[in-house]
Amino acid sequence: GAAHLNAKLILAQMIKESGFGVSGLSASHNNFGGLKASDAQIKAWSTGKTPQGREDIAGWVSMGTTEDFKTEKEYLAFVKAEKKKGNKSYLTKSVVNGQEVWTANLGQPFLTFETAQKGIDHQVRWWSKFGGIKEGDDAKEQIKKIQNAGYATSVGYRDSIINNYYTPIVTP
């Protein structure tokens, strides 16, 4: 269940992913967490079917994104898998905090939702189902588990979420 999830941490993650709710994905498609569509979901929708158990999802949209990798080997494996799907990626290599980072820039399939509530509910379900979060896990452990479950590859992702978590939200 979702009872042991940290609501403030989920909000901090959605702030990061959606740019405080103003990104194109969140504003136009009610996806505040950057949730991607799976290959199986896309295949079902392309045949006119709704993936079983996914009636809350309206569909998917391709949008630009980046994926970071700590080694060239990881990057090349990702590019190979994306090529099989017909996706092109463009490489950027940089150094972040003294570590080489390979970044793939490409279009990816993101989930769309009819309403903001459906998007938020789906985000909470994702954390509950795939995060491996247990009662008693603190904020840092929860976001670490979410990233380890494959949620984000961005270097500095965890630190950014934790910063959002501990920074008070001030409104004018």
Side-chain angles (χ1 to χ4, degrees):
H4 58 280
L5 298 177
N6 186 322
K8 183 178 174 186
L9 187 63
I10 295 172
L11 178 61
Q13 188 260 346
M14 288 192 298
I15 287 169
K16 162 75 173 160
E17 292 285 349
S18 71
F20 280 89
V22 298
S23 72
L25 185 60
S26 59
S28 299
H29 303 288
N30 297 309
N31 183 338
F32 299 92
L35 292 164
K36 293 181 183 167
S38 69
D39 292 341
Q41 290 168 332
I42 293 169
K43 185 176 180 179
W45 283 310
S46 68
T47 61
K49 299 177 184 173
T50 298
Q52 188 170 351
R54 299 291 184 247
E55 293 76 17
D56 60 329
I57 303 170
W60 66 279
V61 62
S62 181
M63 298 190 83
T65 189
T66 60
E67 300 292 338
D68 290 342
F69 302 93
K70 293 180 181 176
T71 68
E72 187 174 21
K73 183 179 177 180
E74 290 174 344
Y75 166 77
L76 292 173
F78 176 81
V79 169
K80 184 177 179 180
E82 290 300 311
K83 278 185 181 177
K84 286 183 181 179
K85 298 177 193 177
N87 295 333
K88 291 181 181 179
S89 68
Y90 303 92
L91 172 65
T92 305
K93 186 177 174 185
S94 59
V95 177
V96 178
N97 296 327
Q99 179 181 350
E100 289 185 329
V101 176
W102 287 263
T103 301
N105 300 280
L106 70 162
Q108 289 281 278
F110 289 91
L111 297 175
T112 63
F113 302 93
E114 290 179 9
T115 66
Q117 187 63 56
K118 285 183 179 184
I120 293 167
D121 289 348
H122 196 88
Q123 184 76 23
V124 171
R125 263 195 314 283
W126 193 97
W127 276 58
S128 182
K129 184 175 181 181
F130 297 108
I133 296 168
K134 295 182 174 63
E135 191 168 342
D137 286 347
D138 67 11
K140 289 181 181 180
E141 184 64 21
Q142 285 191 24
I143 198 62
K144 178 180 177 184
K145 287 181 175 181
I146 290 300
Q147 190 170 27
N148 289 345
Y151 198 90
T153 60
S154 175
V155 172
Y157 186 81
R158 268 186 264 171
D159 292 340
S160 179
I161 304 301
I162 293 300
N163 184 51
N164 285 349
Y165 180 79
Y166 287 109
T167 301
I169 298 171
V170 179
T171 57

